[in-house]
Amino acid sequence: AQKITQTQPGMFVQEKEAVTLDCTYDTSDPSYGLFWYKQPSSGEMIFLIYQGSYDQQNATEGRYSLNFQKARKSANLVISASQLGDSAMYFCAMREGGGSYIPTFGRGTSLIVHP
Amino acid sequence: NAGVTQTPKFRILKIGQSMTLQCAQDMNHNYMYWYRQDPGMGLKLIYYSVGAGITDKGEVPNGYNVSRSTTEDFPLRLELAAPSQTSVYFCASSNTVAGELFFGEGSRLTVL
């Protein structure tokens, strides 16, 4: 079974608008971390944001925020005020304690920002 | 700041050839990983290491080998290359067991 599910293969957003990229996860471990990475067309993987399973508040990093709904096992990435440079693949990932914290990744969502 | 360095960036192999993808990090990270990325499939873990002298298989280890003789280096060996190994390979490291990954720039390998 997929540990990380990203159901949106592709998303489109207008510049300056907000966009939400979905991520659901599957774990029975109480200790885990959730991550989002960005992969622009140049190919490198860039860490964006982290949410720990025990964190009470949603993580934020500049224009990125993570909408963490623990009961629903979702960790959606919200990008506010989209910019053309946000066009990229976005990957959700998890490290769970019972799995020796080995990082597992979703299949990614392609985001295209239109001017 | 070098971070994680992978070489080569591109390589074309013939079926049956062997090669080593090099990975070095200068951040003194204990945890290192090799992933392969195929279109639409995300990243699949090949091998990982929690410290020098310790390696373990990931989800897709067949056809690959690794070693970790130093904290800095984590080379990935492809023996008897097959077309199914055509992929983009990423090396990554982290400084804690549960922290974010720092990635190399990737190595694009084509097996013909």
Side-chain angles (χ1 to χ4, degrees), chain B residues 48-93:
Chain B
Y48 68 100
S49 169
V50 300
I54 306 169
T55 62
D56 209 343
K57 295 178 181 179
E59 187 181 358
V60 290
N62 291 346
Y64 307 95
N65 266 307
V66 293
S67 59
R68 184 96 183 270
S69 57
T70 66
T71 299
E72 295 77 19
D73 299 302
F74 190 40
L76 177 72
R77 177 87 177 156
L78 282 73
E79 304 281 2
L80 298 175
S84 61
Q85 293 177 304
T86 293
S87 190
V88 179
Y89 292 84
F90 284 97
C91 179
S93 71

Side-chain angles (χ1 to χ4, degrees), chain B residues 2-70:
Chain B
V4 179
T5 302
Q6 284 183 240
T7 56
K9 288 187 172 42
F10 302 93
R11 182 75 187 266
I12 298 174
L13 281 181
K14 294 182 179 178
I15 294 171
Q17 287 185 322
S18 300
M19 74 159 298
T20 299
L21 297 175
Q22 301 291 345
C23 175
Q25 51 92 9
D26 63 358
M27 299 173 284
N28 203 33
H29 288 176
N30 282 326
Y31 304 91
M32 295 189 74
Y33 307 86
W34 273 106
Y35 287 91
R36 59 176 288 171
Q37 182 181 23
D38 300 306
M41 298 302 293
L43 278 74
K44 301 286 188 186
L45 183 66
I46 305 170
Y47 270 94
Y48 68 100
S49 169
V50 300
I54 306 169
T55 62
D56 209 343
K57 295 178 181 179
E59 187 181 358
V60 290
N62 291 346
Y64 307 95
N65 266 307
V66 293
S67 59
R68 184 96 183 270
S69 57
T70 66

Side-chain angles (χ1 to χ4, degrees), chain B residues 89-100:
Chain B
Y89 292 84
F90 284 97
C91 179
S93 71
S94 65
N95 60 344
T96 64
V97 69
E100 77 269 26

Side-chain angles (χ1 to χ4, degrees), chain A residues 2 35 37 39 43-45 47 50 91 95 100-107, chain B residues 33 35 37 40-43 45 48 90 94 96-101 103 105:
Chain A
Q2 286 270 358
F35 304 80
Y37 293 87
Q39 186 179 40
E44 74 268 30
M45 295 285 287
F47 164 70
Y50 163 81
F91 292 94
R95 298 186 81 155
S100 301
Y101 290 104
I102 295 171
T104 56
F105 286 79
R107 296 189 175 192
Chain B
Y33 307 86
Y35 287 91
Q37 182 181 23
M41 298 302 293
L43 278 74
L45 183 66
Y48 68 100
F90 284 97
S94 65
T96 64
V97 69
E100 77 269 26
L101 296 179
F103 283 87
E105 291 183 337

Side-chain angles (χ1 to χ4, degrees), chain A residues 50-52 54-60 66 68:
Chain A
Y50 163 81
Q51 179 85 43
Y54 296 115
D55 294 342
Q56 295 296 313
Q57 298 203 346
N58 287 344
T60 60
L66 200 153
F68 181 45

Side-chain angles (χ1 to χ4, degrees), chain A residues 27-38:
Chain A
T27 183
S28 57
D29 201 297
S31 176
Y32 54 91
L34 297 156
F35 304 80
W36 278 91
Y37 293 87
K38 173 184 178 181

